Amino acid sequence: MEKANEVRVECSGDLASLVRRPGGGIVRYTLKRRASVKDVLEALGVPHTEVYGLRVDGETVGFGHVLEPGQSVRAEPAAPPVDVTVSTPLRPRALPGLRFLVDENVAKLAPLLRALGFDAVHDRRSGDARIACLSADEGRVVLSRDRALLKRSAITWGRLIRAAMPLEQLAEVLDLFGARKAPAPFSRCLRCNAELAAVAKRDVLHRLEPKTRLYYDEFRICPVCRRIYWRGSHQEHMRGSLLRAGVILGD
Ligand SMILES: [Zn+2]
């Protein structure tokens, strides 16, 4: 029997797997205080960053909609590909482009995204408050396995990473945003995210191993850490891994 202060919450698609209650997709939730849809979904374990459609009693609502007893909530997951440059009722602030902020718990995503040419910031010293603030200020998609972080209201674009292995995590992100084709492969420093600059071989000759001097003629350098990049065995190894993960690298 339905209790007077209950709401019905239906989480469709893969949101059901995030619900930390028996019953998964459809649960009854007891309102103990004034609560928004966002509050209730997040109390059930579903961060608002994972929700792309929201209806209460059939009407489209925003995350801040305050629930009344007896109401019925339906939350829908992303329908990939998600285009961050288009504003939606739940995310009125579109982003100028696809840029990332990588949390420490998925740190290996940062160099992988950079290898494809994505702007992917990662600072292991950043706490949750700093990450939330940066994502809002710089318009970045937060990638994390931490539900508490993604519940922060300042974060409007994010992804609760489901996969455990880095290359699978990469595929998960690329599929969500329809970005299997790398925008600019090997154009960024894997360590510091800066865009690489072309450098003449003669200017870096003194820093090259004899075999590298012999076999390679094109070099790029990071303007921040001065690391030198070329299409050597490291890059070939990474190309192989990325191709196996389904990334389209171009040349
Ligand atoms: Zn660098």
Side-chain angles (χ1 to χ4, degrees), residues 188-196 221-229:
R188 279 179 189 273
C189 179
L190 302 184
R191 262 188 216 164
C192 45
N193 196 41
E195 286 181 86
L196 302 177
I221 192 164
C222 172
V224 177
C225 71
R226 312 305 290 173
R227 194 180 185 196
I228 302 166
Y229 288 83

Side-chain angles (χ1 to χ4, degrees), residues 81-148:
V82 170
D83 185 350
V84 298
T85 66
V86 174
S87 68
T88 67
L90 289 182
R91 292 177 182 80
R93 188 189 163 206
L95 303 182
L98 197 50
R99 303 195 303 167
F100 298 99
L101 211 171
V102 179
D103 193 9
E104 180 63 18
N105 52 37
V106 287
K108 288 184 176 164
L109 268 177
L112 290 173
L113 287 164
R114 289 168 188 161
L116 308 192
F118 287 108
D119 180 341
V121 164
H122 165 63
D123 182 351
R124 60 174 49 206
R125 296 159 301 178
S126 291
D128 285 8
R130 173 85 182 131
I131 290 174
C133 190
L134 259 184
S135 77
D137 287 353
E138 298 186 358
R140 291 181 181 274
V141 178
V142 177
L143 305 176
S144 179
R145 302 198 78 185
D146 179 1
R147 296 188 196 210

Side-chain angles (χ1 to χ4, degrees), residues 15-58:
L15 294 184
S17 64
L18 300 179
V19 176
R20 287 172 160 160
R21 288 278 180 93
I26 302 176
V27 296
R28 296 201 170 276
Y29 182 86
T30 304
L31 297 170
K32 299 181 193 79
R33 56 181 173 86
R34 185 183 150 91
S36 67
V37 185
K38 179 178 182 294
D39 294 332
V40 170
L41 286 171
E42 293 183 343
L44 292 170
V46 183
H48 72 286
T49 51
E50 310 311 294
V51 178
Y52 285 81
L54 206 48
R55 274 179 288 168
V56 171
D57 293 342

